[in-house]
Amino acid sequence: MSPQTDDVALSTTAERKVVVQSAGAQPDKDWVIVTRGLKREYDMGGEIVRALQGVDLAIRKNEYVAIMGPSGSGKSTLMNLIGCLDTPNGGEYWLSGQLVSTMKDDELARVRNKEIGFVFQTFNLLPRATALHNVELPLVYAGVGSAERKERAMEALTKVQLGDRAMHRPNELSGGQRQRVAIARALVNRPAILLADEPTGNLDSTTSEEIMRVFETLANTGQTVIMVTHEPDIAAHARRVVVLRDGKIASDERNQKVTSSLGL
Amino acid sequence: MGSLGGISLDQLRENVAIAFDALRVSKLRSGLTILGVVIGVSTVMTMATIVQGVRDQILNTIQAAGPTTFYVIKVFSTTPVNPDNPPKWIRIRPDLSAEEADRIAQLPQIGYAGIWAQIQLRLEYQGVRTQLISGFGADDRYQEMQGGELAEGRWFTKSEMRSGAPVVVIQEVQARRIFGRIDPIGKTIQAGGRPVQVVGLYQPPANIFAPPGQEVGAVMPYQFVLHGYHIDKTNALFICIKPKPGVTVADAMDAVTIEMRSIRKLRPADHDNFDLMSQDQILDTFTSITDIFFLVMLVLASVALMVGGIGVMAIMMVSVTARTREIGVRKALGATRRDILLQFLIEAATLTGIGGVLGIVVGLTAGRGVTALMNIEAKTPVGLTLLAVAVSVAIGLIFGVIPARRAARMDPVEALRYE
Ligand SMILES: Nc1ncnc2c1ncn2[C@@H]1O[C@H](COP(=O)(O)OP(=O)(O)O)[C@@H](O)[C@H]1O
Ligand SMILES: [Mg+2]
């Protein structure tokens, strides 16, 4: 295998530069995420906190990206924007070729439902619902009928090896199993991107590895994955690492360790 | 999404399931919440069942007696007039007399007219007494006018009526009470302290309400009652009239009015010094009383429902806050404001709807209990039951709006961060 074929799932710095600089232009659909000068400020009673101060980020389909940086550097803020949970104060955000930075609440809800799968540090499963029902939720909001919903949710649970735990409630599952339910839920609507904010933050190292193997498989089968972490061990699984510092991108490089472990 | 226009069945089912789930988790809290609704609805349902039952009985009785029967009475009043001290305009009215009844009976429009008096008395035989019951001074046409049947013995003879003989036809049930297994016919009993001979046993129609009073326990010749007992001539003396077949009640009433005015020599400018009372009027009177009753109940029930509604609002507020994180998760997964709004509205409506159903069950049961005690048959007021469900659900929807809106407007990022 030549390095070029390995790079299929990795955009080059030069390619990204082109996309990011043509302000206002609709990027090609292959660019799942394009942000241009993205800003997010919080008004803390007169004092302005600049959480993101002009982030240019381009992520192409099938990339597996880790976002790192010290605490308070703006990782979560960026994730919330990318996940359409929040709207920026300035700049553009294009998701799968759609300009989402100007969208209103309910439009954003539909984009979240269709394009984004969230995996949270604290799992955020509904405690009283079964694993199956938790996985069904995005389909409920997509208006999918009950029978198809169950079928697809079951399929997603089977993919994360939890087919036999479908009727269990979260408190009957281990941390790793809960996170796998959350992953199944994130994927059930076949989203353009899987967003994970510190997905292993509440798990021990063995379980973390187990979750990372799930991500690895997903990435290998073409799922675009963006993951926030402050743990280098975890970031090491990604193909590309973006480092934030003080609300700006400090570096954005391919992951040497991963590329070398891929046998280059 | 299959919900743009209205709300899909699937969504409704999903949300009702969520509501039941939330209910299961906080049973006590939910119970307290719906108490107001339960009380409000059950009160109305109880009252409605009773009123409906009584009303049905009155209608039945009127049916039995023939809806054409009407009465001449000294004064028609919804509440009894104090006979010892009536207002002047009543005091100057003459008492009704048997002669007036006879004159009316001779009118070509009239099939029957007889003067009747109602009294309260106890029956006693060898030391065994009934409670205070209602008795009538009437004639042998009593049964024809009021329905029911003669179980044993006979009615009065013409001469007994004319002479005011001390004879009585008593109700079968009362007879059993004081005679037990002894055959009452021919026996002499004490009726209101006077010796009278039992000549017949009478089985009244199921529930007799007109003329107003309890079930009739004893019927005696009018002349005997007139001379043997104290009669409240203001409230309890009346001429019972039935038009001939083919004559309308209105025509018959006109004829009776003209005849009464002529008997009493009233001039055209004088007001009637008697009143007519038709079955329709009795029903109207009853209806106007029950309407007031209903109005009061409605006000009380509305207060209870308001309090219940405010309770629902408070609890839903608490519930929304407690489930902030859940709301954040749902939003992250694609729930729109409308989805969240619906979820909590349906939850509130489910809560109050359950309250309403409980209230209906309690109310119908209580209503049935009371009507059973009153010995009348109760029908379920179906329309009102449906209305009660609708109102309960509406209370939830109305008072759920503010908490549901709060939930719907939550910022997803902050909701997800909520501990
Ligand atoms: N809701 C908020 N209100 C005010 N300041 C905020 C809010 N969210 C984040 N911040 C500030 O923005 C900066 C970036 O925060 P965050 O994105 O959470 O960083 P990270 O996830 O990298 O730790 C921090 O200084 C933080 O205090
Ligand atoms: Mg963070």
Side-chain angles (χ1 to χ4, degrees):
Chain A
M1 270 199 239
S2 70
Q4 276 70 29
T5 41
D6 266 322
D7 282 353
V8 157
L10 261 187
S11 53
T12 65
T13 313
E15 286 169 332
R16 297 199 288 261
K17 206 163 182 173
V18 174
V19 176
V20 159
Q21 278 174 351
S22 34
Q26 180 181 20
D28 189 276
K29 269 199 77 166
D30 257 13
W31 291 100
V32 190
I33 288 170
V34 174
T35 74
R36 295 172 180 139
L38 204 63
K39 286 199 177 73
R40 183 67 171 97
E41 295 165 352
Y42 297 103
D43 189 346
M44 295 296 287
E47 198 197 334
I48 306 286
V49 178
R50 291 180 218 289
L52 290 181
Q53 351 189 2
V55 169
D56 299 329
L57 180 65
I59 295 174
R60 197 151 66 183
K61 208 167 156 180
N62 298 0
E63 285 196 279
Y64 182 6
V65 182
I67 297 177
M68 296 196 72
S71 178
S73 57
K75 304 183 295 291
S76 295
T77 304
L78 181 59
M79 281 303 258
N80 291 338
L81 287 175
I82 291 175
C84 299
L85 289 168
D86 195 9
T87 44
N89 300 106
E92 300 167 20
Y93 170 28
W94 298 81
L95 173 64
S96 304
Q98 305 175 77
L99 185 62
V100 292
S101 43
T102 55
M103 281 186 184
K104 293 274 171 290
D105 219 82
D106 279 359
E107 283 174 288
L108 289 175
R110 305 222 187 279
V111 173
R112 286 197 291 273
N113 184 250
K114 279 170 76 173
E115 309 281 349
I116 295 167
F118 285 100
V119 175
F120 303 94
Q121 178 174 356
T122 52
F123 322 132
N124 275 333
L125 299 177
L126 299 191
R128 293 194 297 275
T130 59
L132 185 70
H133 193 82
N134 266 289
V135 178
E136 276 183 58
L137 277 176
L139 299 173
V140 169
Y141 294 120
V144 176
S146 171
E148 187 188 342
R149 221 159 62 198
K150 292 222 157 38
E151 195 184 311
R152 280 170 63 180
M154 202 58 214
E155 207 174 290
L157 275 174
T158 311
K159 262 191 201 152
V160 294
Q161 271 93 50
L162 283 176
D164 55 341
R165 294 285 190 276
M167 298 326 273
H168 290 233
R169 284 169 209 282
N171 62 3
E172 300 160 348
L173 298 171
S174 72
Q177 288 173 328
R178 288 184 210 180
Q179 197 58 303
R180 267 149 55 198
V181 173
I183 293 169
R185 181 178 69 181
L187 295 173
V188 74
N189 241 357
R190 300 177 195 120
I193 47 173
L194 180 68
L195 280 184
D197 194 348
E198 305 271 10
T200 60
N202 278 21
L203 301 173
D204 61 43
S205 55
T206 327
T207 318
S208 298
E209 282 307 317
E210 171 196 319
I211 295 299
M212 280 307 106
R213 276 197 299 279
V214 177
F215 276 43
E216 189 75 45
T217 314
L218 290 172
N220 286 340
T221 53
Q223 176 68 52
T224 310
V225 180
I226 304 170
M227 165 177 82
V228 165
T229 181
H230 63 270
E231 295 171 75
D233 288 1
I234 297 299
H237 290 87
R239 313 278 155 78
R240 179 180 151 195
V241 178
V242 175
V243 178
L244 283 182
R245 194 157 285 133
D246 298 330
K248 284 185 202 136
I249 293 180
S251 71
D252 182 354
E253 286 165 352
R254 72 166 56 182
N255 192 334
Q256 292 309 322
K257 196 173 147 198
V258 173
T259 28
S260 53
S261 76
L262 283 171
L264 303 173
Chain B
M1 177 133 194
S3 69
L4 279 174
I7 137 168
S8 76
L9 213 68
D10 202 56
Q11 245 179 328
L12 189 69
R13 202 171 46 204
E14 175 79 19
N15 283 311
V16 169
I18 293 172
F20 271 97
D21 214 48
L23 241 159
R24 249 198 308 280
V25 172
S26 47
K27 287 190 199 74
L28 182 68
R29 198 168 69 184
S30 315
L32 288 173
T33 312
I34 60 179
L35 202 61
V37 177
V38 175
I39 292 171
V41 170
S42 58
T43 322
V44 173
M45 293 309 294
T46 309
M47 299 329 297
T49 309
I50 296 170
V51 171
Q52 175 93 33
V54 172
R55 203 187 156 78
D56 286 352
Q57 294 315 319
I58 288 182
L59 284 172
N60 282 349
T61 310
I62 287 173
Q63 220 62 44
T68 57
T69 303
F70 64 95
Y71 307 88
V72 181
I73 189 165
K74 188 170 190 175
V75 55
F76 181 40
S77 162
T78 54
T79 51
V81 176
N82 177 2
D84 299 327
N85 186 21
K88 183 157 179 282
W89 68 273
I90 293 178
R91 201 159 48 229
I92 59 170
R93 288 186 170 196
D95 292 337
L96 295 168
S97 70
E99 290 68 38
E100 287 170 333
D102 288 343
R103 288 274 299 269
I104 292 168
Q106 281 152 29
L107 290 173
Q109 294 90 337
I110 300 305
Y112 166 82
I115 187 158
W116 293 9
Q118 189 176 13
I119 55 172
Q120 303 296 314
L121 77 172
R122 289 177 202 273
L123 307 180
E124 183 179 341
Y125 181 70
Q126 292 185 345
V128 187
R129 289 205 303 178
T130 65
Q131 294 184 313
L132 207 56
I133 57 171
S134 190
F136 269 95
D139 54 37
D140 58 340
R141 305 279 291 276
Y142 181 87
Q143 176 184 322
E144 183 190 321
M145 299 305 295
Q146 294 298 329
E149 52 195 66
L150 195 66
E152 235 178 281
R154 59 172 178 84
W155 281 99
F156 321 127
T157 63
K158 287 266 182 296
S159 75
E160 278 169 345
M161 289 189 293
R162 215 174 305 118
S163 65
V167 289
V168 66
V169 173
I170 61 176
Q171 195 195 332
E172 225 183 346
V173 180
Q174 305 296 350
R176 295 275 163 273
R177 205 156 285 161
I178 55 171
F179 283 102
R181 298 220 179 130
I182 303 166
D183 179 16
I185 304 295
K187 301 280 183 311
T188 299
I189 61 170
Q190 296 290 319
R194 301 187 146 267
V196 290
Q197 193 189 24
V198 179
V199 296
L201 293 190
Y202 169 61
Q203 167 86 64
N207 309 297
I208 191 153
F209 262 88
Q214 306 123 273
E215 276 197 17
V216 175
V219 185
M220 296 177 275
Y222 172 74
Q223 288 301 331
F224 174 66
V225 171
L226 180 67
H227 296 114
Y229 299 90
H230 172 74
I231 297 176
D232 171 2
K233 291 184 177 166
T234 310
N235 297 299
L237 186 64
F238 48 91
I239 298 170
C240 180
I241 304 167
K242 194 167 199 157
K244 277 209 177 109
V247 178
T248 65
V249 176
D251 289 347
M253 284 174 93
D254 284 348
V256 168
T257 305
I258 293 166
E259 185 67 10
M260 280 297 289
R261 289 183 67 91
S262 117
I263 296 168
R264 293 186 170 186
K265 302 190 168 58
L266 297 179
R267 280 167 304 199
D270 293 337
H271 290 295
D272 290 349
N273 54 8
F274 56 90
D275 279 329
L276 295 191
M277 181 170 81
S278 69
Q279 305 277 25
D280 281 352
Q281 276 168 299
I282 295 172
L283 198 62
D284 284 351
T285 309
F286 177 75
T287 305
S288 64
I289 294 170
T290 54
D291 279 354
I292 294 168
F293 201 57
F294 258 125
L295 204 71
V296 172
M297 290 321 304
L298 215 64
V299 170
L300 290 181
S302 305
V303 171
L305 287 176
M306 277 298 273
V307 172
I310 290 166
V312 169
M313 183 156 74
I315 295 297
M316 289 305 293
M317 235 30 176
V318 173
S319 175
V320 165
T321 309
R323 285 152 71 191
T324 300
R325 190 128 190 176
E326 174 191 327
I327 295 163
V329 172
R330 288 182 183 275
K331 287 200 155 193
L333 300 180
T336 59
R337 285 184 180 200
R338 195 171 166 281
D339 290 329
I340 301 292
L341 187 83
L342 271 180
Q343 178 188 331
F344 283 94
L345 278 184
I346 291 172
E347 183 167 325
T350 306
L351 215 62
T352 54
I354 291 171
V357 170
L358 281 178
I360 287 166
V361 171
V362 171
L364 287 182
T365 312
R368 258 155 212 271
V370 174
T371 47
L373 286 178
M374 289 167 70
N375 208 9
I376 58 177
E377 194 184 323
K379 274 199 217 107
T380 308
V382 178
L384 198 77
T385 304
L386 296 179
L387 185 71
V389 174
V391 168
S392 308
V393 168
I395 292 276
L397 291 178
I398 292 164
F399 287 90
V401 164
I402 292 175
R405 275 203 1 199
R406 208 176 87 133
R409 288 181 177 177
M410 273 183 187
D411 177 64
V413 174
E414 273 169 28
L416 278 168
R417 215 190 283 143
Y418 185 85
E419 291 302 328

